[in-house]
Amino acid sequence: MTDIKAALRAQHIETPSWAYGNSGTRFKVFAQKGVPRDPYEKLADAAQVHAYTGIAPTVALHIPWDKVDDYADLARHARELGVGIGAINSNVFQDDDYMLGSVTNPSARVRRKATDHLLECVDIMDATGSDTLKLWFSDGINYPGQDDIRARQDRLAESLAEVYDRLGEGQRFLLEYKLFEPAFYATDVPDWGTAYAHCVKLGPKAQVVVDTGHHAPGTNIEFIVAFLLREGKLGGFDFNSRFYADDDLMVGAADPFQLFRIMFEVVRGGGLDAEAGVAFMLDQCHNIEPKIPGQIRSVMNVQEATAKALLVDREALAAAQSEGDVLGANAVFMDAYNTDVRPLLAELREESGLAPDPMTAYAKSGYFEKIAAERVGGNQAGWGA
Amino acid sequence: MTDIKAALRAQHIETPSWAYGNSGTRFKVFAQKGVPRDPYEKLADAAQVHAYTGIAPTVALHIPWDKVDDYADLARHARELGVGIGAINSNVFQDDDYMLGSVTNPSARVRRKATDHLLECVDIMDATGSDTLKLWFSDGINYPGQDDIRARQDRLAESLAEVYDRLGEGQRFLLEYKLFEPAFYATDVPDWGTAYAHCVKLGPKAQVVVDTGHHAPGTNIEFIVAFLLREGKLGGFDFNSRFYADDDLMVGAADPFQLFRIMFEVVRGGGLDAEAGVAFMLDQCHNIEPKIPGQIRSVMNVQEATAKALLVDREALAAAQSEGDVLGANAVFMDAYNTDVRPLLAELREESGLAPDPMTAYAKSGYFEKIAAERVGGNQAGWGA
Amino acid sequence: MTDIKAALRAQHIETPSWAYGNSGTRFKVFAQKGVPRDPYEKLADAAQVHAYTGIAPTVALHIPWDKVDDYADLARHARELGVGIGAINSNVFQDDDYMLGSVTNPSARVRRKATDHLLECVDIMDATGSDTLKLWFSDGINYPGQDDIRARQDRLAESLAEVYDRLGEGQRFLLEYKLFEPAFYATDVPDWGTAYAHCVKLGPKAQVVVDTGHHAPGTNIEFIVAFLLREGKLGGFDFNSRFYADDDLMVGAADPFQLFRIMFEVVRGGGLDAEAGVAFMLDQCHNIEPKIPGQIRSVMNVQEATAKALLVDREALAAAQSEGDVLGANAVFMDAYNTDVRPLLAELREESGLAPDPMTAYAKSGYFEKIAAERVGGNQAGWGA
Amino acid sequence: MTDIKAALRAQHIETPSWAYGNSGTRFKVFAQKGVPRDPYEKLADAAQVHAYTGIAPTVALHIPWDKVDDYADLARHARELGVGIGAINSNVFQDDDYMLGSVTNPSARVRRKATDHLLECVDIMDATGSDTLKLWFSDGINYPGQDDIRARQDRLAESLAEVYDRLGEGQRFLLEYKLFEPAFYATDVPDWGTAYAHCVKLGPKAQVVVDTGHHAPGTNIEFIVAFLLREGKLGGFDFNSRFYADDDLMVGAADPFQLFRIMFEVVRGGGLDAEAGVAFMLDQCHNIEPKIPGQIRSVMNVQEATAKALLVDREALAAAQSEGDVLGANAVFMDAYNTDVRPLLAELREESGLAPDPMTAYAKSGYFEKIAAERVGGNQAGWGA
């Protein structure tokens, strides 16, 4: 149990700045009270999540949404709040130029512009001390014949190589894949195989990031996790959950058993060790629920799944597996999942000087009432701001 | 062939006013040149589609997007353009009050407001002469436990009953179902069975509308079409196409063979006959392609599928089917699908005084250049406008 | 807690005779030791499941697999073993005549034969005292055009009506739906809507049965359960679980949270009450794990999900829901799911004179060693025997 | 057009020996008249497909189903019939030892046995002159925790390496992937990424084979084809079609437009050139339709899709693509698809001395009546024989 608690204490979960802003679907973005108006306010909210969970010490930025004049000042602001800057996300999907793609656009001019944006993100890494660039491309096509699927791979490879070469000592990029949306016929990085193949060619500074909402129905995500860890190519996670497509619901809300299976493969593959370099990031939005509690709940969900994964009796499991005892091995596995780990985690928090229940503690803190009163006027942050 | 041509001449395909405005995904709405700024300009664009295809004589309105002070004037404007007002769509998903639902909202006040909006749409039907109300509810929940699934059905039934009672002579409503989006856990009208069950209880003025993009993967849409026609409950179609979710691509673009199979069941079930009352509506958007040509192409795609469906040698098919000749029956069916019907349709158009190729004729007309130059300033129409 | 225990004590889960025989995929049926050779031995194995769980007192038969000369004798044998005969399943898919369908076959002769088989099953109900006929039709077509989709509905309706009329006092039939397999293009009863529509027309003795493995990806099964309960048309469940298609894995093995959500809707809709008449049946196979322990585990999984569903604080849930408190309502719901109910169920068993852990108790009983030694020679039961 | 005809004449489509035997689903294998009783008779049937289509000159064998004492004699028999031996398929899924896996089984003894079988298949390649070994592993697990997902990859890699080393000059193996079935939780080679990663490590003699029925819903198969061709890792196709899972219907029967898109990427990527080494194989079964005509129809379907793919005006397509003309590029693409290529193919056949319509010609030949009369007694071939 000591080992388990140590592992849980060491786990870090990164929250994304965009989760604190307004979000929604193509049908409607519903505005909420107290939503941040700039990156500084986003960091303040993220710091609340860390204050109550104790395991969310970094915040991912999204460029250009989080553009500021002085990144060193933003990083200093974060430190003062008790958090740090995590991954830099390069958003190349909201400029009119990117309608037919960014780095895979048929136009050389647009590709140049997109790659330049990626290079600028590395500059921001330098300025903020971030060691991770996260690359997601919405690039793809909507109609058969619209563009040359293979030529787009050539263009992608060219841009990635340029960015790879720009990475400094101790820096890396994570390449994200996604089945579909916003492209509706062919996406240029649609699956882990595509991301993996590009990363292998580029070298050790390129790794794959698994967004748990970006797969075709029926895909076994924990298999992908196990495979990438075995290859040394799992760079991290974008956690969220989904019943249908890329629903971006709170992680663990749709299929907590799946989250447990994923975390088990992480544990089994050594992915919790610091040297593995696996980043545990949230990447989800709260369209209809309040944002800060939504993030706290999500961090807790990942933590609970991790605790259960750590509780699996690996020795008993291995014994049953090697004997071909199907029901026995499954029972060892399910025994951990069926355990209620909430008392253990409450204890862990109290040992660290935190309140046992982060949700209640945050609710009682008055923080929400404060920001709802203060943050009046100005433009609330959201996609595109 | 005479019969086939007569059937093709009689077919009417309705285009939706929103297709002429800007649209997009949650990631970005890309603006296009020449996009209408008000319902009058939308009707003008829709009239172009009819002018070149000859089979798109009506236009669906969406309320509140197409709200005007004087609906009789709008209807007169349409008539002058050579088109008519089709179905009235009641949009109850873009008001902040509807965040947790419209007619199924836990709040009685919000439900009242939503139902009142539906009743107002019937007033607009009276004012415009429209005979069809189209009801789509984005209502649903994102998280298990968020609301009572069953109580929401009670609320839905109550609202539908009130609207049903308000319908006048010769008026009907079509209830639309959709698997998911924007609700991501449980949608209140998720499948045809739910829509059907409500409609059966309400009576003959309530029918189901099939949106071809609103099904779970693997769903056999033509089966649903055949079943609803057999029950007298197929009110119409919202045509579009998809590879993944509700992609709203041009109808026939993703799976033309599926469209053919659907149209075959329509033909086989008597759905082309005027007395069947099946409305053939487009309900799709053009995120990255120009809107008017996108609609023309879509109308042509439905027409081509209809022509192929009419070409099936029904006698030979029935003979092979009754003999259990699997390959023979399939061959009869595929023979029609594999036929190139474009020459036939070109001939049909020329017999009606139209250009044989609507796409080329529109492109040459100069209409786009005209609106691109004229429609400067003002707010382009789009979702929410 | 007293109410919860009472409800758990009253729950009955029916196991199917075929689960005790060999089963597999189209690729291979692996034979296991000690497998029954006839219906009498199947009942003996089913009695073991009841002996250790205390809540599996009935066994479903499958005709013709379980054909015997004297059904009264079989029923007497069951009673002596401490169990009873449950639903009668009418299998009309393994005769060469049924290659192109049973009750929907284009041949009138084959349809007659199939319907006669269904009527014979009602005779067996009379002879065994069973009150439930379960109808699953593998009928469908593999190729577009192969047969007339709509005419097949006519034939289906005709056969169902004849069977319905034959049902005696206190007898009913449950109509099962399935998305696909063994038909690969169009299945004649592919979804709950189709089954529901037929049952509504027939009357109160016809109800829908929900097999949890028979849906398209993404289908919200608990919605269907809630809807059918609201309509008084939920006849029962065929429980099993799946990651992909109709995998027929142990119920609760693939998505225990889904099973909990389903059981919650059952509880909420009054489906645990005896008068609701909802049959809780297992319908799964054990291709690679031993059969009796597989059934015991499955019964326990349903029981655990039921216990969690009963633990939901309905009052707190309703309060949060009516306030639109998304996170609060979800938290109440998840609190019950995250509870470890195994101690409660162990206690419940001990109060009933059973061993606290059925799996261990069965393993220690020596029953498997006994049947493995005794059941040598003869043909092991399986699909087709 | 000359080039197109030349390309069509050069195309070779391989049929599989197992398609001529009986097949079915887990529910039932329906027996058909005239079905072969041994590999010699299978080859005779395959020769008929070549005789009428002119483009099916090789036949894939499946070991152990097609085990004979003298493979040289079997190869000679094939040559006399006018066909040759194609790929050797290694079936390691029907021995009781393989219940928990073949090369990934937890038991070292079983793994040794399975790998030895693969090596024996290379011996058969030597004996028959086949240059291609096709590896499909049904290996996987049904329940979470049942076995160690990652250790199974280690075992897989070890076996593949041993087989790779055994390959002689001019020999290769193709590694097949499949989403699921018969394993229902985690399959050891579930997607192209896994197959690709193993093949890249092994070297140039290892390539990926794409079975068109082995993907998750929504997977863009033509993207995979384009990607693998770009990497030089597309070894070939197992063609068939599906609406749901691995339905193994006739290729082109479910989604002819998808087949066209796949063949277009083949053409665009140089995959029709002999030096590309892409094997075009059928891998499907005819559960309810006659086998030889089923294969003829399937060969024709691939040929028609190839002809349409060759008809795409590549120059016009590239021009529209580079201009970002979404509708224009799509129109060029669809123009080829909408063309009726059957007259062209009839002409091509007549130029080669064949009957213009292979289906009619075969039907009139009397071959079926002959084998139905002659092949009486003995065991019909099927899975497992």
Side-chain angles (χ1 to χ4, degrees):
Chain A
M1 198 53 76
T2 317
D3 285 358
I4 292 177
K5 282 189 174 174
L8 289 168
R9 265 187 217 103
Q11 189 178 33
H12 284 176
I13 297 166
E14 181 165 311
T15 74
S17 68
W18 74 279
Y20 302 98
N22 285 320
S23 60
T25 69
R26 62 173 170 150
F27 295 97
K28 172 72 174 170
V29 173
F30 295 101
Q32 295 190 10
K33 281 191 184 169
V35 159
R37 280 108 20 120
D38 60 38
Y40 286 79
E41 290 183 351
K42 290 181 193 173
L43 286 172
D45 289 2
Q48 290 290 306
V49 177
H50 183 49
Y52 293 99
T53 62
I55 56 166
T58 56
V59 190
L61 299 186
H62 291 252
I63 307 300
W65 299 336
D66 295 325
K67 272 202 167 183
V68 292
D69 290 333
D70 185 344
Y71 289 99
D73 184 66
L74 190 69
R76 183 199 47 72
H77 174 71
R79 276 194 304 276
E80 287 174 10
L81 290 161
V83 293
I85 303 299
I88 305 298
N89 290 262
S90 57
N91 297 357
V92 279
F93 52 84
Q94 290 190 324
D95 189 298
D96 278 323
D97 270 342
Y98 299 146
M99 186 171 84
L100 303 181
S102 64
V103 298
T104 66
N105 198 296
S107 153
R109 180 187 65 79
V110 176
R111 293 200 298 274
R112 184 67 258 154
K113 173 175 172 173
T115 303
D116 283 343
H117 178 80
L118 305 185
L119 297 174
E120 184 191 344
C121 287
V122 185
D123 295 340
I124 296 173
M125 292 168 68
D126 291 340
T128 57
S130 165
D131 61 1
T132 298
L133 175 66
K134 186 136 65 73
L135 301 173
W136 172 61
F137 299 106
S138 67
D139 296 27
I141 56 180
N142 276 5
Y143 292 103
Q146 178 192 324
D147 198 6
D148 187 320
I149 288 175
R150 180 162 165 170
R152 293 175 78 93
Q153 289 299 315
D154 297 334
R155 299 170 200 152
L156 172 65
E158 193 180 337
S159 177
L160 289 177
E162 190 175 342
V163 177
Y164 190 89
D165 289 344
R166 166 68 182 81
L167 291 173
E169 194 72 24
Q171 292 182 332
R172 63 172 174 172
F173 73 58
L174 308 185
L175 182 55
E176 190 165 340
Y177 58 91
K178 184 178 183 181
L179 180 66
F180 80 100
E181 193 212 20
F184 291 129
Y185 161 55
T187 293
D188 294 321
V189 189
D191 54 19
W192 77 266
T194 304
Y196 168 84
H198 280 286
C199 287
V200 164
K201 290 197 176 168
L202 288 166
K205 290 178 174 179
Q207 290 181 301
V208 181
V209 62
V210 174
D211 182 306
T212 48
H214 287 188
H215 302 85
T219 302
N220 185 322
I221 300 176
E222 57 268 30
F223 175 89
I224 297 173
V225 169
F227 196 93
L228 288 173
L229 269 172
R230 184 177 179 270
E231 302 288 325
K233 280 295 182 191
L234 181 67
F237 289 95
D238 268 0
F239 282 121
N240 50 56
S241 75
R242 52 76 73 93
F243 287 95
Y244 304 97
D246 184 31
D247 306 339
D248 278 335
L249 300 179
M250 297 188 300
V251 55
D255 189 347
F257 182 44
Q258 182 189 55
L259 182 59
F260 162 73
R261 299 193 310 263
I262 289 172
M263 289 312 303
F264 176 75
E265 291 303 328
V266 168
V267 169
R268 186 266 180 253
L272 280 188
D273 303 341
E275 56 268 34
V278 177
F280 298 92
M281 302 173 282
L282 302 185
D283 192 50
Q284 57 188 40
C285 48
H286 306 288
N287 298 347
I288 62 169
E289 66 272 20
K291 281 96 171 55
I292 296 171
Q295 291 284 293
I296 292 173
R297 169 62 67 203
S298 302
V299 168
M300 292 172 70
N301 284 353
V302 174
Q303 192 179 32
E304 290 174 17
T306 307
K308 291 182 177 194
L310 287 163
L311 279 174
V312 172
D313 183 339
R314 300 273 300 280
E315 208 169 319
L317 184 68
Q321 289 174 342
S322 71
E323 289 163 19
D325 179 0
V326 175
L327 288 175
N330 178 247
V332 170
F333 196 71
M334 296 309 293
D335 184 37
Y337 178 68
N338 286 324
T339 302
D340 189 343
V341 295
R342 294 174 298 173
L344 168 69
L345 295 172
E347 188 181 299
L348 189 78
R349 287 182 201 109
E350 291 187 304
E351 289 170 8
S352 308
L354 297 172
D357 178 6
M359 292 294 284
T360 308
Y362 169 76
K364 287 186 182 163
S365 72
Y367 184 81
F368 174 69
E369 290 73 12
K370 183 169 156 286
I371 56 174
E374 286 177 5
R375 295 178 182 169
V376 174
N379 286 318
Q380 291 190 322
W383 281 29
Chain B
M1 199 55 73
T2 316
D3 285 358
I4 292 177
K5 281 189 174 176
L8 289 168
R9 262 186 220 104
Q11 190 178 32
H12 282 175
I13 297 165
E14 182 165 311
T15 74
S17 67
W18 74 280
Y20 302 99
N22 286 321
S23 60
T25 68
R26 61 173 169 151
F27 295 96
K28 172 73 175 169
V29 173
F30 295 102
Q32 294 190 11
K33 280 191 185 172
V35 159
R37 282 120 1 133
D38 62 36
Y40 286 79
E41 290 183 353
K42 290 182 192 173
L43 287 171
D45 290 1
Q48 290 290 307
V49 176
H50 183 49
Y52 293 99
T53 62
I55 57 166
T58 56
V59 189
L61 300 186
H62 291 252
I63 306 300
W65 300 336
D66 294 326
K67 273 201 166 184
V68 292
D69 291 332
D70 185 343
Y71 289 100
D73 185 65
L74 190 69
R76 184 200 45 72
H77 174 70
R79 276 193 306 276
E80 286 175 11
L81 291 161
V83 293
I85 303 298
I88 304 298
N89 290 261
S90 58
N91 296 359
V92 279
F93 52 85
Q94 291 191 323
D95 188 299
D96 278 322
D97 269 342
Y98 299 146
M99 186 171 82
L100 302 181
S102 65
V103 297
T104 66
N105 198 297
S107 154
R109 180 188 64 79
V110 176
R111 295 200 297 275
R112 183 68 259 152
K113 173 175 171 172
T115 303
D116 283 344
H117 179 80
L118 306 185
L119 298 174
E120 184 191 344
C121 288
V122 186
D123 295 340
I124 296 173
M125 292 168 68
D126 292 341
T128 57
S130 165
D131 60 2
T132 297
L133 175 66
K134 185 138 64 74
L135 301 173
W136 172 63
F137 300 106
S138 66
D139 296 26
I141 57 180
N142 277 5
Y143 292 103
Q146 178 191 324
D147 198 5
D148 188 320
I149 288 176
R150 180 162 164 169
R152 293 176 78 93
Q153 288 299 313
D154 296 336
R155 300 170 200 153
L156 172 65
E158 193 180 338
S159 177
L160 290 177
E162 189 175 343
V163 177
Y164 189 88
D165 289 343
R166 165 67 182 82
L167 292 172
E169 193 73 27
Q171 292 181 333
R172 63 171 174 172
F173 72 59
L174 309 185
L175 182 55
E176 189 164 341
Y177 59 91
K178 184 177 182 181
L179 179 66
F180 80 101
E181 195 214 17
F184 290 129
Y185 160 56
T187 293
D188 294 321
V189 190
D191 55 18
W192 78 264
T194 304
Y196 169 84
H198 281 286
C199 288
V200 163
K201 290 196 177 169
L202 288 166
K205 289 178 175 179
Q207 289 182 301
V208 181
V209 61
V210 175
D211 182 304
T212 48
H214 287 188
H215 303 84
T219 302
N220 185 322
I221 300 176
E222 57 269 29
F223 175 89
I224 297 172
V225 169
F227 196 93
L228 288 173
L229 269 172
R230 184 176 178 270
E231 301 288 325
K233 280 294 182 193
L234 181 67
F237 288 95
D238 268 359
F239 282 120
N240 50 56
S241 74
R242 52 79 73 97
F243 287 94
Y244 304 97
D246 185 31
D247 306 338
D248 278 335
L249 300 179
M250 296 188 300
V251 57
D255 189 347
F257 182 44
Q258 183 190 54
L259 182 59
F260 162 73
R261 300 193 308 265
I262 290 171
M263 290 311 305
F264 175 75
E265 291 304 327
V266 168
V267 169
R268 186 264 179 253
L272 279 188
D273 303 342
E275 57 267 34
V278 178
F280 298 92
M281 301 174 282
L282 301 186
D283 192 49
Q284 58 189 41
C285 49
H286 306 288
N287 298 347
I288 61 168
E289 67 272 20
K291 283 99 171 56
I292 298 171
Q295 290 285 294
I296 292 174
R297 169 61 66 203
S298 302
V299 168
M300 291 172 70
N301 284 353
V302 174
Q303 192 179 31
E304 290 174 18
T306 307
K308 290 182 177 194
L310 288 163
L311 279 175
V312 172
D313 183 339
R314 300 274 299 279
E315 207 169 320
L317 184 67
Q321 289 175 339
S322 70
E323 289 162 20
D325 178 0
V326 175
L327 288 176
N330 178 248
V332 171
F333 197 70
M334 296 309 293
D335 185 38
Y337 178 67
N338 286 323
T339 302
D340 189 345
V341 294
R342 292 174 299 173
L344 168 69
L345 294 172
E347 187 181 300
L348 189 78
R349 286 182 201 110
E350 290 187 305
E351 288 171 7
S352 307
L354 297 172
D357 177 7
M359 292 294 284
T360 307
Y362 169 76
K364 286 187 183 163
S365 73
Y367 183 81
F368 174 69
E369 290 74 11
K370 182 167 157 288
I371 57 175
E374 284 177 5
R375 295 177 183 170
V376 175
N379 287 318
Q380 292 191 321
W383 280 30
Chain C
M1 200 54 75
T2 317
D3 285 359
I4 293 177
K5 281 189 173 175
L8 289 169
R9 263 188 219 103
Q11 190 179 32
H12 284 174
I13 297 166
E14 181 165 311
T15 73
S17 68
W18 74 279
Y20 302 99
N22 286 319
S23 60
T25 69
R26 62 174 170 149
F27 295 97
K28 171 72 175 170
V29 173
F30 294 102
Q32 295 190 10
K33 280 191 183 170
V35 159
R37 280 113 13 127
D38 61 38
Y40 286 80
E41 291 183 351
K42 290 181 192 173
L43 286 171
D45 289 0
Q48 290 290 306
V49 177
H50 184 49
Y52 292 99
T53 63
I55 57 166
T58 56
V59 189
L61 299 186
H62 291 253
I63 306 300
W65 299 337
D66 293 326
K67 273 201 165 183
V68 292
D69 290 333
D70 185 344
Y71 289 99
D73 184 66
L74 189 69
R76 184 199 46 73
H77 173 72
R79 276 194 305 276
E80 286 175 9
L81 290 161
V83 293
I85 302 298
I88 304 298
N89 290 263
S90 58
N91 296 358
V92 279
F93 52 83
Q94 290 191 323
D95 188 299
D96 278 323
D97 269 342
Y98 299 145
M99 187 171 83
L100 302 181
S102 65
V103 297
T104 66
N105 197 297
S107 153
R109 181 189 64 79
V110 176
R111 294 200 297 275
R112 185 67 259 152
K113 173 174 171 173
T115 303
D116 284 344
H117 178 80
L118 307 184
L119 298 173
E120 184 191 344
C121 288
V122 185
D123 295 339
I124 296 173
M125 291 167 69
D126 292 341
T128 56
S130 165
D131 60 3
T132 297
L133 176 66
K134 185 137 64 74
L135 300 174
W136 172 62
F137 299 106
S138 67
D139 296 25
I141 58 180
N142 276 5
Y143 292 103
Q146 178 191 324
D147 198 7
D148 187 321
I149 288 175
R150 181 162 165 169
R152 294 176 77 94
Q153 289 298 315
D154 297 335
R155 299 169 200 153
L156 172 66
E158 192 180 339
S159 177
L160 289 176
E162 189 174 343
V163 176
Y164 190 90
D165 289 343
R166 166 66 182 83
L167 291 172
E169 194 72 26
Q171 291 180 333
R172 62 171 174 172
F173 72 58
L174 307 185
L175 182 56
E176 190 165 341
Y177 59 91
K178 184 177 182 180
L179 180 66
F180 80 101
E181 195 214 17
F184 291 129
Y185 161 55
T187 293
D188 294 321
V189 189
D191 54 19
W192 77 265
T194 304
Y196 169 84
H198 280 286
C199 287
V200 164
K201 290 197 176 168
L202 288 165
K205 289 178 174 178
Q207 290 181 301
V208 181
V209 62
V210 174
D211 183 305
T212 48
H214 287 188
H215 303 85
T219 302
N220 185 323
I221 300 176
E222 57 268 30
F223 175 89
I224 297 171
V225 169
F227 196 94
L228 289 173
L229 270 171
R230 184 176 178 270
E231 302 289 324
K233 280 295 182 192
L234 180 67
F237 289 95
D238 268 359
F239 282 120
N240 49 56
S241 76
R242 53 76 74 93
F243 288 94
Y244 303 98
D246 185 32
D247 306 339
D248 278 336
L249 300 179
M250 298 188 300
V251 56
D255 189 346
F257 183 44
Q258 182 189 55
L259 182 59
F260 163 73
R261 299 193 310 264
I262 290 171
M263 289 313 304
F264 176 76
E265 291 304 327
V266 169
V267 169
R268 187 266 179 254
L272 280 188
D273 304 341
E275 56 267 34
V278 178
F280 299 92
M281 302 174 282
L282 301 186
D283 192 49
Q284 58 190 40
C285 48
H286 306 289
N287 298 347
I288 61 168
E289 68 271 19
K291 282 95 170 59
I292 297 172
Q295 290 285 293
I296 292 174
R297 168 62 66 202
S298 302
V299 168
M300 291 171 70
N301 284 353
V302 175
Q303 192 179 30
E304 290 174 17
T306 307
K308 291 182 178 195
L310 288 163
L311 280 175
V312 173
D313 183 340
R314 300 273 299 279
E315 208 169 318
L317 184 67
Q321 288 174 342
S322 70
E323 290 162 19
D325 179 0
V326 175
L327 287 176
N330 178 247
V332 171
F333 197 70
M334 296 309 293
D335 184 38
Y337 178 67
N338 286 323
T339 303
D340 189 345
V341 296
R342 292 174 300 173
L344 168 69
L345 294 172
E347 189 181 298
L348 188 79
R349 286 183 200 110
E350 290 187 304
E351 289 171 6
S352 306
L354 297 172
D357 178 6
M359 292 294 283
T360 307
Y362 169 77
K364 286 187 182 162
S365 73
Y367 184 81
F368 174 69
E369 290 73 12
K370 182 167 157 288
I371 57 175
E374 285 177 6
R375 294 177 183 170
V376 175
N379 286 318
Q380 291 191 321
W383 281 28
Chain D
M1 200 51 76
T2 316
D3 285 357
I4 292 177
K5 282 190 174 173
L8 290 168
R9 264 187 219 105
Q11 189 179 34
H12 283 175
I13 297 166
E14 182 165 310
T15 74
S17 67
W18 74 279
Y20 302 99
N22 286 321
S23 60
T25 69
R26 62 174 169 149
F27 295 97
K28 172 72 175 170
V29 173
F30 295 102
Q32 294 190 10
K33 280 190 185 171
V35 159
R37 280 110 18 124
D38 60 38
Y40 286 79
E41 290 183 353
K42 291 181 192 172
L43 287 172
D45 289 1
Q48 291 289 308
V49 176
H50 183 49
Y52 292 100
T53 62
I55 57 165
T58 56
V59 189
L61 299 186
H62 291 252
I63 306 300
W65 299 338
D66 294 326
K67 272 200 165 184
V68 292
D69 290 332
D70 185 344
Y71 288 99
D73 184 66
L74 189 69
R76 184 200 46 72
H77 174 71
R79 276 194 305 276
E80 286 175 11
L81 290 160
V83 292
I85 303 299
I88 304 298
N89 290 262
S90 58
N91 297 357
V92 279
F93 52 85
Q94 291 191 322
D95 188 298
D96 278 322
D97 270 341
Y98 299 145
M99 186 170 84
L100 302 182
S102 63
V103 297
T104 66
N105 198 296
S107 154
R109 180 188 65 78
V110 176
R111 294 200 299 274
R112 183 69 258 152
K113 173 174 171 173
T115 303
D116 284 344
H117 179 79
L118 306 186
L119 297 174
E120 184 191 344
C121 287
V122 186
D123 295 339
I124 295 173
M125 291 167 68
D126 292 341
T128 57
S130 165
D131 60 2
T132 297
L133 175 65
K134 185 138 63 75
L135 300 173
W136 172 62
F137 299 105
S138 67
D139 296 26
I141 56 180
N142 276 6
Y143 292 103
Q146 178 190 324
D147 198 5
D148 188 319
I149 287 175
R150 181 162 163 169
R152 293 175 77 94
Q153 288 299 313
D154 297 335
R155 300 171 200 152
L156 172 65
E158 193 180 336
S159 176
L160 289 177
E162 189 175 343
V163 176
Y164 190 87
D165 289 343
R166 166 65 182 84
L167 291 172
E169 194 71 26
Q171 293 181 333
R172 63 171 174 173
F173 72 58
L174 308 185
L175 182 55
E176 190 165 340
Y177 58 91
K178 183 177 182 180
L179 180 66
F180 80 99
E181 195 212 20
F184 291 129
Y185 161 55
T187 293
D188 294 321
V189 190
D191 53 20
W192 77 266
T194 304
Y196 169 84
H198 281 286
C199 287
V200 163
K201 290 197 177 170
L202 289 166
K205 289 178 174 179
Q207 290 181 300
V208 181
V209 62
V210 175
D211 183 305
T212 48
H214 287 189
H215 303 84
T219 302
N220 185 323
I221 300 176
E222 57 269 29
F223 175 88
I224 297 172
V225 169
F227 197 93
L228 288 174
L229 268 172
R230 184 176 178 272
E231 302 287 325
K233 280 295 182 190
L234 181 67
F237 289 95
D238 268 0
F239 281 121
N240 50 57
S241 74
R242 52 78 72 93
F243 287 94
Y244 304 97
D246 185 32
D247 306 340
D248 278 334
L249 300 179
M250 297 189 299
V251 57
D255 189 347
F257 183 44
Q258 182 189 56
L259 182 59
F260 163 73
R261 299 194 309 265
I262 290 171
M263 290 312 304
F264 175 76
E265 292 303 329
V266 169
V267 169
R268 187 265 179 253
L272 280 189
D273 304 341
E275 57 267 34
V278 177
F280 299 92
M281 302 174 282
L282 301 185
D283 191 50
Q284 58 188 41
C285 49
H286 306 289
N287 298 347
I288 61 169
E289 68 272 19
K291 282 97 171 55
I292 297 171
Q295 290 284 293
I296 292 174
R297 169 62 66 203
S298 302
V299 168
M300 292 171 70
N301 284 353
V302 175
Q303 193 179 31
E304 289 174 18
T306 307
K308 290 182 178 195
L310 288 163
L311 279 175
V312 173
D313 183 339
R314 300 273 299 279
E315 207 170 321
L317 183 68
Q321 288 174 341
S322 70
E323 290 163 19
D325 179 1
V326 175
L327 288 176
N330 178 246
V332 171
F333 196 71
M334 297 310 293
D335 184 38
Y337 178 67
N338 286 325
T339 302
D340 189 344
V341 295
R342 293 175 298 174
L344 168 69
L345 294 172
E347 189 182 298
L348 188 78
R349 286 183 201 108
E350 289 187 304
E351 289 169 8
S352 306
L354 297 171
D357 178 6
M359 292 295 283
T360 308
Y362 169 76
K364 287 187 182 161
S365 73
Y367 184 81
F368 174 70
E369 290 73 11
K370 183 168 156 287
I371 57 174
E374 285 177 5
R375 295 177 182 170
V376 174
N379 287 318
Q380 290 190 323
W383 281 28

